[in-house]
Amino acid sequence: MLLRKRRAMLRARARQAAFTGYVGLDRRAPVSEVARALFRKAFPDHWSFLLGEIALYSLMVLLITGTYLTLFFDPDLSKEVYQGSYGPLRGLLASNAYTSTLYISFDVRGGLLIRQTHHWAALVFVAALGVHMLRVFFTGAFRRPRELNWMIGVTLFMLALLEGFCGYSLPDDLLSGTGLRTANTIVMSIPVVGTYLSFFVWGGPFPGHIVMRRMYIAHVLLVPGLMIALVAAHLLLVVYLKHTHWAERGRTNRNAVGMPMFPQFATRSVGLNLTVFGVLALLGGIAQVNPVWLYGPYRADQVSTGAQPDWYVGFLEGALRLMPPWENVVGGHTLMWNVLLPAVVLPGVLFLVLYLYPFFERWVTGDLMEHHLCDRPRDRPVRTALGVAAVVFYAVLLAAAGNDVTAMIFRVSLETLTWIYRVAVVAGPPLAFLVTKRVCLALQAHDRKLLREGEETGAVSQSPEGRMREGSRPLGAAYRYRLLVRDVPAPLSRPAVGSPRRYRLRAALSSWYYRDRVEMPATTEQRLQVSGRTLGPLPGAEEE
């Protein structure tokens, strides 16, 4: 009885202390206003919006496990004879970086689990970030007013590639050392300044003596700090600009409909967080990844068979392998086109296109309105086809990164396989574009048929004249709304004769983007209602 009273008294004191602290903080900062606005924030409940959260929670796992690993890792390239727990490598000369990695794997309690969980979290983080960006691209969620958030996402993806490369290069094993040697060649291929950049980064000729410490600082301090700042900015913009949502009854371009942050969204988000943590820990415990003890310490005069980087930078490796051996000497300088084009120009053009695409599409459409409704990919066949063509281009380069392994497994000629990939990387994207565009138009035609004839019931009836007829029923109101409410701009009108070339180019591109379309059967009243639901938001509109 006395113990029960004491517990009640402690709880009352704790509640009073919490209330007093909250009141004191609220008097000095706008806590109540911020909390009220945040708790009323509407979050969509579609599964596709969880991809960004998976990336966020994978980043949290990376930060936690990476902090633990920094306590034991030594980024030193000084050589010493290995005398650790792993018997097959005893007596070999290895760097302190490699030795400390083996120490984490075999001597630190839970070290191998943490190291493998860290590696799996990096793979999942980049994958979730990439798929999240594809979702944003295919649904048009990068349009005004979210262009800045799209650019932040592209920058995050670029930093994630850099962070991953630095991370798997730190152990100084034979596989990562080969990748670092490739990076040195890429830097040296830059005309005029390449040699100077290489000497500056590596501290002299390869393999240098200070590059590992510089990469370690970039991996644990510089790049993570930039990524955390960009993630914070991204989340703030998401809260400020509101989420996009799919066209459904009650959801228009002028509101934000969804579950409130607390308690519905918070409960689901916490569950997803725990699931991501659990799956990554499970993978770290049962799925071996990057077994550096099998590769051995790095030596500049050796390279292992089947040496490929992690998948997210595999497209660069594939581009290097497919590029013909083109070189020129100009003014005493060797221009290494076989390295410069696939490893410097290609990624530069890729990220430049990603940065500028929202502004390019806005220029083509002439659309300055805000958009909060997601596009169905089939309703934008050219944009969807461009995205699929880019994915196919990336997939071919990624497959080409393992052409030696594929040739060995299937016992085919490496030269023949390389030429197959060269043809595929040129012909594959245009073919994927054409097929995807036709599929999107076919799906639009199917939607029009559903609106006209309704859904098939599976029943077949026979008229008195003997004619067989399939049974159908009208579409439900929610399904009809989803098919009719779409925001597809019309092509721009042809400019007058003698107009500037940029206007003629803009009109031609607009026609190419939007001339192929399937109009949905709708009455005049329905078209007016669709126009009202796709209009831009009114000033001061409140979210629901």
Side-chain angles (χ1 to χ4, degrees):
M1 187 69 178
L2 182 62
L3 183 60
R4 188 179 304 169
K5 289 182 178 180
R6 184 173 180 81
R7 287 179 179 174
M9 185 182 301
L10 291 175
R11 290 174 183 170
R13 289 180 179 177
R15 285 194 296 267
Q16 183 62 33
F19 177 77
T20 303
Y22 178 82
V23 170
L25 183 62
D26 189 48
R27 289 174 177 174
R28 295 162 177 82
V31 177
S32 296
E33 290 81 357
V34 173
R36 189 181 301 113
L38 191 59
F39 287 167
R40 290 180 61 248
K41 171 85 172 75
F43 285 87
D45 55 359
H46 196 268
W47 64 266
S48 61
F49 293 93
L50 300 178
L51 297 170
E53 293 185 49
I54 294 176
L56 176 63
Y57 298 141
S58 300
L59 179 60
M60 293 173 59
V61 175
L62 279 171
L63 294 175
I64 294 172
T65 55
T67 302
Y68 182 81
L69 294 175
T70 57
L71 303 177
F72 305 98
F73 183 75
D74 181 13
D76 183 16
L77 290 179
S78 301
K79 302 290 185 178
E80 63 179 19
V81 177
Y82 176 70
Q83 298 294 342
S85 302
Y86 189 67
L89 293 179
R90 287 178 189 160
L92 288 181
L93 198 63
S95 66
N96 289 331
Y98 184 74
T99 301
S100 63
T101 304
L102 295 181
Y103 175 75
I104 292 172
S105 302
F106 296 111
D107 298 300
V108 175
R109 185 178 296 274
L112 182 58
L113 172 65
I114 298 298
R115 194 175 72 82
Q116 294 197 148
T117 302
H118 185 76
H119 201 112
W120 276 114
L123 298 176
V124 172
F125 170 67
V126 180
L129 189 59
V131 177
H132 174 64
M133 290 182 61
L134 288 176
R135 197 277 302 174
V136 171
F137 177 81
F138 285 124
T139 61
F142 55 83
R143 295 172 295 176
R144 185 176 182 183
R146 297 176 177 84
E147 300 97 333
L148 179 58
N149 231 3
W150 168 260
M151 297 175 71
I152 290 176
V154 173
T155 306
L156 269 172
F157 188 74
M158 183 169 57
L159 290 176
L161 299 184
L162 175 61
E163 179 76 348
F165 174 77
C166 292
Y168 78 70
S169 298
L170 287 177
D172 196 40
D173 59 284
L174 189 57
L175 180 61
S176 64
T178 303
L180 203 56
R181 185 69 179 93
T182 304
N184 178 263
T185 304
I186 293 172
V187 172
M188 294 186 67
S189 71
I190 301 175
V192 182
V193 299
T195 305
Y196 301 100
L197 286 176
S198 173
F199 270 64
F200 171 75
V201 174
W202 273 264
F206 185 85
H209 60 283
I210 59 175
V211 63
M212 193 65 67
R213 294 190 181 276
R214 290 178 173 177
M215 288 177 46
Y216 182 69
I217 294 173
H219 182 70
V220 305
L221 181 62
L222 178 60
V223 179
L226 293 174
M227 294 178 67
I228 292 173
L230 290 176
V231 167
H234 176 78
L235 295 178
L236 286 175
L237 285 175
V238 167
V239 172
Y240 176 72
L241 299 173
K242 313 297 187 295
H243 279 82
T244 55
H245 52 195
W246 295 99
E248 292 183 12
R249 299 184 68 181
R251 301 181 180 184
T252 69
N253 207 31
R254 295 183 172 183
N255 61 8
V257 180
M259 68 182 77
M261 179 175 181
F262 187 84
Q264 285 90 340
F265 176 77
T267 303
R268 294 188 181 187
S269 186
V270 169
L272 180 62
N273 186 6
L274 296 177
T275 301
V276 171
F277 272 59
V279 169
L280 291 177
L282 183 64
L283 288 173
I286 65 175
Q288 179 176 274
V289 61
N290 198 24
V292 296
W293 53 89
L294 298 181
Y295 308 141
Y298 177 67
R299 288 183 53 179
D301 60 340
Q302 294 183 358
V303 62
S304 60
T305 303
Q308 286 85 27
D310 281 343
W311 69 268
Y312 42 83
V313 290
F315 74 101
L316 292 178
E317 176 77 14
L320 285 169
R321 297 190 182 199
L322 295 185
M323 186 68 188
W326 294 345
E327 290 184 0
N328 293 111
V329 178
V330 179
H333 296 277
T334 301
L335 298 180
M336 303 170 58
W337 301 111
N338 56 328
V339 179
L340 179 66
L341 292 179
V344 178
V345 176
L346 174 64
V349 172
L350 169 65
F351 281 102
L352 182 63
V353 169
L354 290 176
Y355 276 118
L356 297 181
Y357 185 83
F359 307 98
F360 169 76
E361 185 171 302
R362 188 177 67 182
W363 178 72
V364 168
T365 60
D367 183 12
L368 301 179
M369 189 177 66
E370 291 188 7
H371 295 274
H372 302 284
L373 282 176
C374 291
D375 288 329
R376 299 175 77 201
R378 68 183 66 180
D379 293 333
R380 299 288 186 118
V382 173
R383 179 207 292 159
T384 303
L386 288 174
V388 173
V391 171
V392 169
F393 179 75
Y394 172 85
V396 173
L397 292 182
L398 183 61
N403 60 350
D404 54 341
V405 178
T406 305
M408 182 179 64
I409 292 176
F410 292 99
R411 298 183 179 181
V412 297
S413 168
L414 179 62
E415 291 76 11
T416 302
L417 190 61
T418 299
W419 273 105
I420 291 175
Y421 283 135
R422 285 175 176 172
V423 173
V425 81
V426 174
L431 181 62
F433 176 88
L434 295 175
V435 171
T436 303
K437 185 178 178 181
R438 299 314 305 172
V439 169
C440 289
L441 293 173
L443 290 174
Q444 290 186 42
H446 177 68
D447 290 342
R448 181 178 60 183
K449 180 180 178 181
L450 288 177
L451 288 170
R452 285 179 172 175
E453 303 177 5
E455 292 180 298
E456 295 181 0
T457 61
V460 179
S461 60
Q462 185 176 14
S463 67
E465 296 82 10
R467 180 179 300 173
M468 308 299 292
R469 181 178 301 171
E470 296 180 352
S472 62
R473 57 174 176 267
L475 295 179
Y479 196 8
R480 180 178 292 272
Y481 185 96
R482 188 161 61 249
L483 297 185
L484 287 177
V485 178
R486 60 177 193 166
D487 183 16
V488 183
L492 297 177
S493 58
R494 186 185 299 271
V497 178
S499 298
R501 184 175 299 176
R502 64 179 181 275
Y503 292 126
R504 286 179 286 158
L505 175 62
R506 181 183 182 185
L509 288 173
S510 179
S511 176
W512 179 66
Y513 255 75
Y514 300 115
R515 69 170 178 263
D516 295 327
R517 57 201 294 164
V518 178
E519 297 294 344
M520 297 296 130
T523 63
T524 303
E525 180 182 356
Q526 288 175 332
R527 294 186 187 280
L528 289 175
Q529 292 180 359
V530 170
S531 299
R533 284 161 174 77
T534 55
L535 285 176
L538 297 173
E542 296 291 334
E543 65 179 84
E544 299 179 8

